[in-house]
Amino acid sequence: MSSFIELLGLFMLLMLPFLYETNHIFRYYIKFLIYYGIVSFNAIVLIPAFLTRPCDVRNLLWASTWCHRVTALIGLRWELRGKEHLAKDQACIIVANHQSSLDVLGMFSIWHVMNKCTVVAKRELFYVWPFGLAAWLAGLIFIDRVRGEKAREILNDVNRRIKKQRIKLWVFPEGTRRNTGELHPFKKGAFHMAIDQQIPILPVVFSSYCTFLNDKKKILNAGRIVITTLPPVSTEGLTKDDIDPLMERVRAQMIETFKLTSAEALELRYNPLKSSPLAPSSSAASASASEGVLPPGAEVEAAAVAAAASVAVASSGSSYAPLHVGAAAASATYETYKSSATAAKATMLKTL
C-alpha cells in the first residue's frame, strides 16, 4: 500500500510540469499561488524586523526588496517612465488606476524610487494574516469604507502627518480593482485630502493588463506593463469647489496616457514584424518579433491586428491617437486593438 502511494505521489509530481505547460487554468492558479505564497512567507520573516520600528513607512522598502523578485517568477516585467516625478522628495497624493492584485508587484518594483510612501487599503485586508499584520506594521493605512465618518477622521489625521513628514500617500481612486481595459469613475476622497493640505496630486498610470491577464478565463501569461508617472498637479489656491474639475482633469490625463501606453503594449505583443516605435526595443520579445519569430498562436492574433488596422484606416474620424502598425504603416486606435486582441487572445494560452 505504501509503495502504491509513493508511486502515485511520484506520478503526480511528474505531471506538474506537463500540466503547467499545457493547462492555462493550472498555470494561472500556480502563478498566483507562488505570488501569494512568497509574499506571505516574506511577511512572516519580516514581522520581527518591523517590530523594531512599528508602523514606520520605511519598512515598506524592506518589504519591496524581498517581494519584488516574485515578478520574474511569474513572467511579468515592469517599465517605469517619469521616474523624476516619483523620486522627488515631497508630500503628495498618488492616484493610480487599479486593475488587479498584481498592482502590488508593480508598486514593489518602484518603491525604492518613491522612498517614503504608504497606501490606503480597505480594512478587510488587515485580517488576511500574516500579510495584514505585516502591512500594518509597515505603516499601511486601513480604513473601514462602511463607517465613513471614522474613515474620514483617520484620513484627516494621516493627511496632516504626510505633509509634515513629506510622505507620499498612494490611493486607488476607482475604489476597487477592475481589469476591463478602461479607467472607471473616481471617488473624491484623494482630491479632498490634496486640497485640504494644499499638496500636489501625482497621477500614476499602469498600462492595460488585457494583453496577458483574464481572470474569467483563468489566463495569466507573461506580460510587459508600462508604469507612467505624470507631472504633479498643483492644488495651491484650490478650494472644495474645485474638486470636481480637478478630478476630471486628472482623470482625463490618466485616460489619455492609459490609451497610449496600452496600445503600445498591445502593438508590441501582437505585431509579429516590428516592435513598438514608442518604446526602446530592449527585450528578448522585441528581438524575436523583429526576427519574425512568433510564439504559439501569435499568427492568429497578428491577423486580427492587421484586420483591426484596416478597420481603423477606414474609420479615420476616430478621436483616439493613431499608432503605427508594423510594415503595413496603418493606423489603429486603442479600442480597435483591444477588441481584436480580446477576440484572439484565447488562442495564446502559453507564453513562458
Side-chain angles (χ1 to χ4, degrees), residues 119-129 131-133 135-136 140-148 150-151 154-155 175:
V119 185
V120 173
K122 59 184 180 182
R123 187 167 175 260
E124 291 82 357
L125 286 177
F126 173 74
Y127 299 104
V128 183
W129 285 29
F131 171 80
L133 177 58
W136 178 72
L140 258 70
I141 312 300
F142 293 100
I143 60 171
D144 189 345
R145 293 181 294 183
V146 176
R147 300 172 62 188
K150 180 66 174 177
I154 293 173
L155 291 177

Side-chain angles (χ1 to χ4, degrees), residues 262-285:
S262 298
E264 176 188 330
L266 284 164
E267 182 177 11
L268 184 63
R269 178 65 177 270
Y270 297 116
N271 184 355
L273 299 177
K274 188 173 182 179
S275 62
S276 170
L278 298 179
S281 179
S282 59
S283 67

Side-chain angles (χ1 to χ4, degrees), residues 157-311:
D157 180 62
V158 169
N159 213 16
R160 290 186 289 271
R161 183 161 62 93
I162 64 171
K163 184 174 183 179
K164 182 179 179 181
Q165 300 179 11
R166 304 173 74 88
I167 296 172
K168 299 176 179 70
L169 180 65
W170 188 295
V171 180
F172 293 111
E174 293 169 290
T176 188
R177 59 181 184 265
R178 298 186 183 99
N179 183 28
T180 59
E182 59 185 337
L183 267 69
H184 293 265
F186 286 177
K187 299 181 185 300
K188 298 181 181 180
F191 301 90
H192 271 285
M193 295 176 69
I195 289 178
D196 183 55
Q197 292 295 321
Q198 298 286 283
I199 56 179
I201 295 281
L202 190 64
V204 173
V205 183
F206 289 70
S207 61
S208 177
Y209 293 177
C210 288
T211 57
F212 63 89
L213 176 65
N214 187 323
D215 289 308
K216 289 184 179 179
K217 293 183 179 180
K218 308 304 178 190
I219 298 172
L220 175 54
N221 293 330
R224 167 182 172 270
I225 307 96
V226 177
I227 305 174
T228 307
T229 307
L230 300 178
V233 179
S234 175
T235 62
E236 289 185 14
L238 300 185
T239 66
K240 302 297 183 183
D241 295 333
D242 299 307
I243 286 178
D244 286 339
L246 172 66
M247 183 171 63
E248 290 307 315
R249 177 156 57 97
V250 170
R251 184 168 178 268
Q253 292 177 1
M254 293 176 67
I255 288 174
E256 185 65 25
T257 302
F258 179 78
K259 288 175 182 175
L260 289 172
T261 55
S262 298
E264 176 188 330
L266 284 164
E267 182 177 11
L268 184 63
R269 178 65 177 270
Y270 297 116
N271 184 355
L273 299 177
K274 188 173 182 179
S275 62
S276 170
L278 298 179
S281 179
S282 59
S283 67
S286 299
S288 63
S290 63
E291 294 168 5
V293 180
L294 302 181
E299 296 89 345
V300 177
E301 299 190 62
V305 171
S310 301
V311 172

Side-chain angles (χ1 to χ4, degrees), residues 59 102 111 238 260 274 284 342:
N59 289 342
L102 296 174
W111 222 295
L238 300 185
L260 289 172
K274 188 173 182 179
T342 301

